[in-house]
């Protein structure tokens, strides 16, 4: 394998590890906050799911539309005639921008849009490398920028409606219903971990696909991902979950809205529904955004004042600024590296 591709793949593994570290907490936050599952058990269940689900869905079932979206944000004709070094600098700038902004997120312990960090860095580096006309702005506008604003609204609506529905269904049931929903959260953790992992792993698969395109001229439309690429990235996202992410459990599970057993179940179900839909329609969604927005929707269904709006506002603001900030960082890094090495 080309040395340039190896370096980019290693950086993609590091990014995938970070997604496991950060978004892993999102998958188990509400069930741990309600004490439905002990943290160590929730982590193990989620970790095994994150290892197995991408291999089954992304490799065996060939569902990789999110990876294709990432791989097509820059028009393929932009890669014609460029040197391997130029292609490498483009992707190196993308990953350096992504990892540097992700580090800031870890240090501040605020749920970060891992999706828009990567995509912003990619678009910024693409602008610096290939110019405005070679960015697929229809794809960027529809599946990235629009979704920054649409996803929270959709998740809040789904969370609100499902919460109201379950309250009506469970209104006359006895206390045993609480035990049912407490146990049902185990299934939800598996479903939610599946939806998160297949979306996140595919983002890194898309970066690897771009590395093959810019360094080897690979057609991004016809390439078939091999087992080891998917397996290594699946191991990375599982390892990230096992090594960290506990700090964000409190932020997501308690500081936005103090969820109860039923609210936790509904929030998980809402999140999984939206995330799975996005994964199978090629939208690289921010799972932290989906989880937090679903919790807000559930909180509003309870009562508006129950939502800690100051905390929610801070989180929502970070999502809005993530893409343009990452894009600027990616462009600056790329311009510097091109000035030095090209």
């Amino acid at each position: 394998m080309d040395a340039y591709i190896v370096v980019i793949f290693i950086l993609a593994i590091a990014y995938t590890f970070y997604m496991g570290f950060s978004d892993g907490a999102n998958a188990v936050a509400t069930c741990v906050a309600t004490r439905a599952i002990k943290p160590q058990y929730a982590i193990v269940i989620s970790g095994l799911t994150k290892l197995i689900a991408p291999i089954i869905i992304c490799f065996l079932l060939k569902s990789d539309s999110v990876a294709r979206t990432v791989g097509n944000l820059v028009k393929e004709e932009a890669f014609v005639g460029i040197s391997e070094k130029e292609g490498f600098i483009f992707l190196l700038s993308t990953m350096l921008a992504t990892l540097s902004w992700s580090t800031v997120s870890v240090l501040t312990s605020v749920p970060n849009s891992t999706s828009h960090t990567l995509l912003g860095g990619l678009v910024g580096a693409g602008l610096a490398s290939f110019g405005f006309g070679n960015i697929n702005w229809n794809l960027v506008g529809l599946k990235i920028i629009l979704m920054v604003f649409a996803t929270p609204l959709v998740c809040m609506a789904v969370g609100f409606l499902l919460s109201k529905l379950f309250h009506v269904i469970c209104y006359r049931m006895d206390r045993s219903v609480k035990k049912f929903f407490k146990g049902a959260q185990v299934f939800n953790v598996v479903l939610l971990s599946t939806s998160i992992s297949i979306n996140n792993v595919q983002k890194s698969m898309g970066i690897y696909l771009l590395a093959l395109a810019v360094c080897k001229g690979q057609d991004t439309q016809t390439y078939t991902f091999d087992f080891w690429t998917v397996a290594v990235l699946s191991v990375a996202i599982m390892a990230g979950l096992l090594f960290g992410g506990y700090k964000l459990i409190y932020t997501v599970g308690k500081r936005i809205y103090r969820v109860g057993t039923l609210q936790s179940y509904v929030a998980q179900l809402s999140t999984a529904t939206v995330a799975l839909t996005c994964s199978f329609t090629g939208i690289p969604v921010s799972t932290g955004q989906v989880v937090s927005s679903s919790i807000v929707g559930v909180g509003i269904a309870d009562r508006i004042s129950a939502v800690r709006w100051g905390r929610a506002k801070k989180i929502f603001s970070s999502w809005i600024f993530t893409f343009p900030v990452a894009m600027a960082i990616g462009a600056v890094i790329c311009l510097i590296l091109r000035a030095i090495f090209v």
Side-chain angles (χ1 to χ4, degrees):
M1 187 182 292
D2 190 285
Y4 288 147
I5 298 176
V6 171
V7 172
I8 297 303
F9 188 56
I10 290 173
L11 291 174
I13 293 172
Y15 171 67
T16 310
F17 178 90
Y18 165 73
M19 287 191 288
F21 180 91
S22 175
D23 289 343
N26 293 324
V28 301
T30 58
C31 70
V32 171
T34 58
R35 299 181 181 178
I37 310 176
K38 291 183 178 180
Q40 59 270 32
Y41 296 150
I43 292 295
V44 170
I45 293 170
S46 182
L48 290 174
T49 303
K50 286 175 180 286
L51 172 65
I52 298 170
I55 294 175
I56 294 175
I57 295 175
C58 301
F59 173 69
L60 294 179
L61 300 182
K62 307 299 182 184
S63 178
D64 53 15
S65 57
V66 172
R68 305 292 173 181
T69 295
V70 174
N72 285 286
L73 291 179
V74 177
K75 295 178 181 178
E76 201 163 8
E77 52 263 33
F79 307 143
V80 177
I82 68 167
S83 66
E84 286 190 32
K85 181 188 289 186
E86 289 177 299
F88 172 69
I89 289 175
F90 155 58
L91 287 177
L92 178 63
S93 303
T94 297
M95 299 313 299
L96 290 178
T98 301
L99 293 172
S100 61
W101 188 245
S102 297
T103 300
V104 172
S105 174
V106 171
L107 295 177
T108 56
S109 297
V110 174
N112 180 45
S113 173
T114 55
S115 173
H116 299 113
T117 302
L118 175 69
L119 301 173
L122 176 61
V123 173
L127 282 170
S129 297
F130 310 114
F132 186 90
N134 283 312
I135 303 297
N136 191 338
W137 290 110
N138 289 333
L139 202 58
V140 171
L142 181 62
K143 292 194 174 182
I144 301 177
I145 297 176
L146 177 62
M147 297 309 295
V148 171
F149 302 97
T151 298
L153 296 176
V154 171
C155 291
M156 284 189 284
V158 173
F160 177 87
L161 293 173
L162 285 180
S163 185
K164 289 295 187 182
L165 175 62
F166 275 94
H167 274 295
V168 171
I169 294 173
C170 302
Y171 180 72
R172 296 188 180 276
M173 293 184 181
D174 58 28
R175 293 185 178 181
S176 62
V177 71
K178 184 175 181 179
K179 293 183 179 179
F180 168 78
F181 284 113
K182 187 175 182 179
Q185 289 186 70
V186 177
F187 171 77
N188 269 10
V189 167
V190 174
L191 183 63
L192 186 52
S193 297
T194 296
S195 64
I196 287 176
S197 62
I198 63 174
N199 199 286
N200 284 348
V201 164
Q202 286 189 69
K203 296 165 192 170
S204 296
M205 288 167 59
I207 293 298
Y208 177 68
L209 180 60
L210 275 171
L212 294 175
V214 299
C215 295
K216 291 298 181 183
Q218 176 65 52
D219 185 349
T220 58
Q221 302 298 324
T222 60
Y223 179 74
T224 301
F225 291 97
D226 62 82
F227 170 79
W228 290 110
T229 299
V230 180
V232 168
L233 293 174
S234 299
V235 169
I237 201 167
M238 178 187 69
L241 171 61
L242 297 179
F243 277 92
Y246 283 96
K247 289 183 178 180
L248 293 180
I249 290 177
Y250 184 69
T251 299
V252 175
K254 294 184 177 181
R255 288 188 178 177
I256 300 173
Y257 165 70
R258 190 172 290 275
V259 294
T261 301
L262 178 59
Q263 291 86 357
S264 174
Y265 176 85
V266 173
Q268 291 170 339
L269 187 61
S270 303
T271 301
T273 300
V274 175
L276 283 172
T277 301
C278 289
S279 294
F280 289 114
T281 54
I283 299 174
V285 71
S286 166
T287 50
Q289 187 180 53
V290 177
V291 173
S292 300
S293 301
S294 296
I295 292 174
V296 170
V298 171
I300 293 173
D302 180 11
R303 64 184 190 281
I304 294 178
S305 61
V307 178
R308 293 176 173 85
W309 289 106
R311 187 66 182 178
K313 182 179 178 180
K314 182 178 180 180
I315 295 172
F316 289 169
S317 297
S318 71
W319 297 333
I320 295 173
F321 290 112
T322 292
F323 183 81
V325 170
M327 188 168 69
I329 295 173
V332 169
I333 291 175
C334 190
L335 289 172
I336 293 172
L337 292 180
R338 286 180 63 86
I340 296 173
F341 297 108
V342 178

